[in-house]
Amino acid sequence: PAMCELYKQWGLDPGKICGVTTLDIVRANKFVHELTGVDVDEIDVPVVGGHAGATILPLFSQVPAARSIPSDQIPALDKHVQDAGTDVVNA
């Protein structure tokens, strides 16, 4: 929100700001796609919380495409999204 206000003052489009949570959303969408085969353009996983480990909370229950994923796989999927950034850095 603060950066949006600065963008407005500078005459820039605040809609062009892309936060780090966007990375987590893209990753979560991709992982749901890989498990379900649903077109990634039809998947939009809300992600709340922070941008580090367990603070990342993908809300798979809010995504129609994710409803076909067995509930016992969701904790591992949460962990996959939470660790994805670290996996990239460690690669």
Side-chain angles (χ1 to χ4, degrees):
M3 187 57 76
C4 288
E5 293 307 314
L6 285 174
Y7 262 49
K8 288 177 190 174
Q9 288 176 7
W10 296 336
L12 301 172
D13 180 3
K16 302 248 182 201
I17 296 173
C18 178
V20 293
T21 301
T22 301
L23 294 171
D24 300 320
I25 292 169
V26 169
R27 290 176 180 138
N29 291 347
K30 175 69 172 166
F31 298 154
V32 170
H33 161 74
E34 289 173 344
L35 288 172
T36 64
V38 173
D39 188 330
V40 75
D41 291 331
E42 296 178 22
I43 301 169
D44 188 17
V45 179
V47 177
V48 298
H51 182 64
T55 66
I56 301 167
L57 302 171
L59 304 178
F60 296 113
S61 64
Q62 303 303 304
V63 183
R67 292 190 186 127
S68 65
I69 300 170
S71 60
D72 63 335
Q73 290 183 17
I74 297 297
L77 189 56
D78 284 335
K79 186 82 171 130
H80 191 31
V81 173
Q82 291 167 347
D83 292 344
T86 303
D87 294 343
V88 169
V89 170
N90 291 337

